[in-house]
Amino acid sequence: MIRAKRVIAYVWASPTTLVGLTAGALTLATGGRVQRRLGTLEFHGGFSRWFAERNRFAAMTLGHVIIGRDPCALDSCRAHEQAHVRQVERWGIAFIPAYFLASAWAWSRGKHYYLDNYFERDARRACGEWW
């Protein structure tokens, strides 16, 4: 039963994971690396480093794929990004549009588009971050 639930979670999240696998393929094609951690593939270096530096983030979750600047960034962000993985498992294909809508909602109310985004607050709460 538990295995069936995990398979369903991977299938439900697969549209977002496909976006992540595209970023992962670009990462590997540009000299990056991949590691498997806690049911996800974590990519770093190459395209992932370039994209992270250009957009000023350490790591980003795309389904069951996490792209990060480097191994240290992935290590320091793992609990937070794993919280996002659980969110994707709940929201499925709606996760990416819902994430952007949550940012727009926060921004439209005069809040910070990232820090006050529902999904970011929820991830911080889930992994014990207090801010």
Side-chain angles (χ1 to χ4, degrees), residues 39-53:
T40 65
L41 294 176
E42 296 180 345
F43 293 89
H44 60 88
F47 170 79
S48 289
R49 174 184 288 280
W50 173 83
F51 191 68
E53 288 174 353

Side-chain angles (χ1 to χ4, degrees), residues 36-99:
R36 187 166 178 258
R37 298 283 190 277
L38 302 171
T40 65
L41 294 176
E42 296 180 345
F43 293 89
H44 60 88
F47 170 79
S48 289
R49 174 184 288 280
W50 173 83
F51 191 68
E53 288 174 353
R54 183 169 179 91
N55 293 284
R56 294 189 243 161
F57 66 84
M60 175 189 289
T61 298
L62 296 163
H64 287 92
V65 171
I66 301 170
I67 61 171
R69 195 174 51 238
D70 53 49
C72 291
L74 289 167
D75 286 344
S76 67
C77 296
R78 188 164 290 120
H80 181 93
E81 298 307 321
Q82 284 291 321
H84 285 310
V85 171
R86 302 293 84 82
Q87 291 170 344
V88 174
E89 289 177 348
R90 284 191 302 274
W91 285 77
I93 196 169
F95 178 75
I96 291 175
Y99 186 96

